[in-house]
């Protein structure tokens, strides 16, 4: 049951271009205390792509150290296979309960390239691997055939899909099509926070959540309602948060908005994102602050 | 006149996941001997995005060392600004005559993010910078306004544009629109080898060339014809090479095809690209070999 429920993705805050180790510890301890089902360190929200091998090893170690009994998954993606393997080794040494792997691209990759990457990683790892499908950052598109090929590999535990259609009936068909081609042991987790309640109602067993890394109670309310079958409540709560999801869409993505929220709450220091990402400007931050207030996200 | 004419982009061949230093030296010496106008080490063709800081410093040093009097530009792009600055420092220490900077992305970047990145780099560098617009790999789109803002920065020497329309009249309008918003001192260089002859005929002063890094004579024939005003000859030669440009488009990009050609000629060892990029399969390689033969690219 490790790869089900709410997996919360904390930021990796920086201060003066170095990992803010206290900030990492603070964020991870909050998540564990809130009772999330798992913590995914070094997801896209955790800025894995921007960090050096050593920084990533430090973050993985800190996350496991401060997570208590909550399982910690660690993002290991990189442009080069040998770097992915090095990250996988470091994550396992840190005590990761799972490895999250997105096929990062600079040159576009083929399906064979990506299949071979995943095969190499599972052959060289002793903890389960989550397939991370995030076309918005990797610009790689999986498709059902490749899901099926990769999910057959022993060691694949879950697929993190990039969202589902907004219409629930369409979402159910979408998830059913994936379910039909992957083994039962492989869970399907939704991402794209705006789609999470719909995804859970449509049959996803996990929510890989950006906002859950910073506002775990909010994400837990939706997840717990959905996991106990009260999809009406989960969908209603998600509907109520529409202004937040709209801010994700209009202010340059969930990462920038979530970082601004974490900064405003004093969880991390201002400008916690890696440059060249400037983060939100003052007007955008004021908008987010009003929204946090209006939606009662501070409680 | 440094940022005009043919800039040839050599591969950075790997052997067993390490830089093939002899291969780098061989490729660079060939380019210098052929008389290209400049050599751009660690372009996209040179796999900069896949290499560590130390590997990149080694390649920059080798390129300058073996280029004779040919100016060497060095790609410095990275996902994080501090990494870009480190690469810029290493490239300058190696003796680079120019720095090539693409705004690599994982999270999508805003125009302000990218402008600030370029401003930071020119403020911290003492050699000219080439703006590298390659949406196929970076997934960032510049647009005329951002070209204009960045080109105003002192230290910007050239803009490497991603191609031009196939129709010559449209290509002229396209290049004229860019020319109208950037200072005279900033050259415009075309890339996308299939578009090069058209780009040069349309007013581009440089060709930043993938194939020129492996088959410099071929690229020099086109460039020299164009630069002496014989666009008819340049366009005819490019037209004759249509099967090569088609192979670039259908076999997963110019990098894979060019690597296969370099491997077949014995310039570099087989499987010279960084994994997870598998390179062409046997059937594709056979197709490329026939094409090299039919087009007389071996001469």
């Amino acid at each position: 049951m490790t790869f089900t429920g709410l997996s919360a993705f904390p930021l990796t805050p920086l201060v003066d271009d170095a990992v803010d180790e206290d900030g990492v510890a603070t964020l991870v301890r909050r998540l564990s205390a809130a009772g999330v089902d798992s913590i995914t360190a070094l997801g896209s929200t955790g800025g894995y792509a921007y960090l050096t091998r050593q920084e990533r090893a430090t973050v993985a170690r800190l996350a496991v150290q401060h997570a208590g009994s909550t399982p910690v998954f660690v993002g290991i993606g990189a442009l080069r296979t040998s770097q992915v393997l090095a990250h996988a080794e470091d994550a396992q040494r840190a005590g990761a309960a799972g490895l999250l792997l997105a096929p990062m691209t600079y040159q576009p990759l083929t399906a064979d390239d990506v299949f071979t990457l995943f095969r190499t990683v599972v052959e060289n790892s002793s903890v389960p691997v989550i397939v991370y499908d995030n076309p918005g950052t990797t610009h790689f598109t999986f498709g059902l055939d490749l899901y099926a090929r990769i999910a057959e590999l022993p060691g694949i535990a879950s697929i993190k899909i990039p969202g589902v259609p907004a219409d629930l009936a369409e979402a159910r068909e979408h998830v059913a099509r994936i379910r039909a081609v992957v083994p039962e042991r492989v869970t399907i987790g939704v991402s794209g926070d705006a789609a999470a309640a719909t995804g859970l109602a449509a049959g996803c067993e996990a929510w890989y959540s950006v906002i859950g890394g910073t506002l775990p109670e909010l994400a837990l309310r939706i997840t717990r309602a959905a996991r106990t079958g009260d999809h009406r409540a989960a969908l209603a709560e998600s509907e109520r948060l529409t202004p937040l999801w709209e801010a994700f869409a209009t202010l340059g993505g969930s990462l920038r908005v979530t970082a601004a929220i974490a900064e405003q709450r004093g969880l991390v220091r201002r400008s916690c994102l890696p440059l060249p990402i400037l983060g939100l400007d003052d007007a955008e931050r004021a908008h987010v602050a009003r929204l946090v207030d209006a939606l009662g996200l501070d409680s």
Side-chain angles (χ1 to χ4, degrees), chain A:
Chain A
M1 299 295 287
T2 310
F3 299 90
T4 59
L6 176 66
S7 193
F9 280 51
L11 298 157
T12 302
L14 302 186
V15 173
D16 295 335
D17 202 51
V19 170
D20 173 4
E21 300 192 11
D22 291 341
V24 172
T26 301
L27 291 171
V28 169
R29 278 197 304 262
R30 284 181 85 236
L31 299 178
S32 177
V36 302
D37 298 294
S38 63
I39 294 167
T40 303
L42 298 170
S44 293
T45 307
Y48 76 92
Y50 298 86
L51 304 177
T52 64
R53 177 176 181 181
Q54 195 180 322
E55 288 171 330
R56 293 166 68 155
T58 300
V59 172
R61 208 178 51 241
L62 284 170
V64 172
Q65 186 182 328
H66 292 278
S69 60
T70 311
V72 173
F73 311 147
V74 175
I76 61 169
L79 286 171
R80 188 160 153 197
T81 299
S82 54
Q83 295 163 343
V84 174
L85 292 175
H87 298 148
E89 193 183 312
D90 295 344
Q92 289 173 88
R93 192 169 296 145
L99 308 174
L100 178 75
L101 175 57
M104 281 180 70
T105 67
Y106 182 77
Q107 296 290 338
L109 295 177
T110 67
D112 279 343
D113 293 339
V114 171
F115 174 75
T116 307
L117 170 65
F118 276 91
R119 193 180 58 194
T120 304
V121 169
V122 298
E123 283 174 357
N124 286 278
S125 305
S126 54
V127 299
V129 172
I130 305 163
V131 178
Y132 189 175
D133 181 2
N134 189 350
T137 56
T138 66
H139 306 281
F140 179 81
T141 301
F142 277 82
L144 285 178
D145 286 352
L146 188 56
Y147 279 162
R149 276 180 80 192
I150 292 174
E152 287 294 336
L153 293 167
I156 298 293
S158 184
I159 301 179
K160 176 182 182 298
I161 66 172
V164 296
D167 178 77
L168 184 53
E170 283 176 41
R172 284 202 176 107
E173 281 173 36
H174 180 76
V175 175
R177 274 193 295 271
I178 300 170
R179 186 75 276 164
V181 300
V182 307
E184 199 58 40
R185 67 178 161 78
V186 175
T187 68
I188 300 171
V190 65
S191 59
D193 287 345
T198 307
L200 292 167
C204 290
E205 295 120 320
W207 174 14
Y208 294 107
S209 176
V210 175
I211 197 68
T214 294
L215 302 177
E217 283 81 7
L218 174 161
L220 279 168
R221 275 199 301 278
I222 292 174
T223 310
R224 284 177 178 155
R227 299 286 289 164
T228 57
D230 191 355
H231 292 297
R232 187 187 297 253
L235 288 162
E237 175 63 0
S238 180
E239 176 80 16
R240 190 183 75 80
L241 298 172
T242 298
L244 178 63
W245 313 142
E246 284 175 355
F248 283 8
T250 58
L251 299 182
S254 56
L255 178 67
R256 285 175 169 81
V257 173
T258 303
I261 293 172
E263 292 173 12
Q264 284 167 9
R265 287 182 83 113
L267 296 171
V268 303
R269 306 256 288 276
R270 170 107 185 215
S271 300
C272 73
L273 296 174
L275 289 175
I277 304 171
L278 292 171
L280 299 189
D281 66 25
D282 289 338
E284 292 167 334
R285 284 168 189 273
H287 172 75
V288 169
R290 282 193 301 274
L291 194 152
V292 164
D293 223 34
L295 295 175
L297 304 185
D298 256 334
S299 59

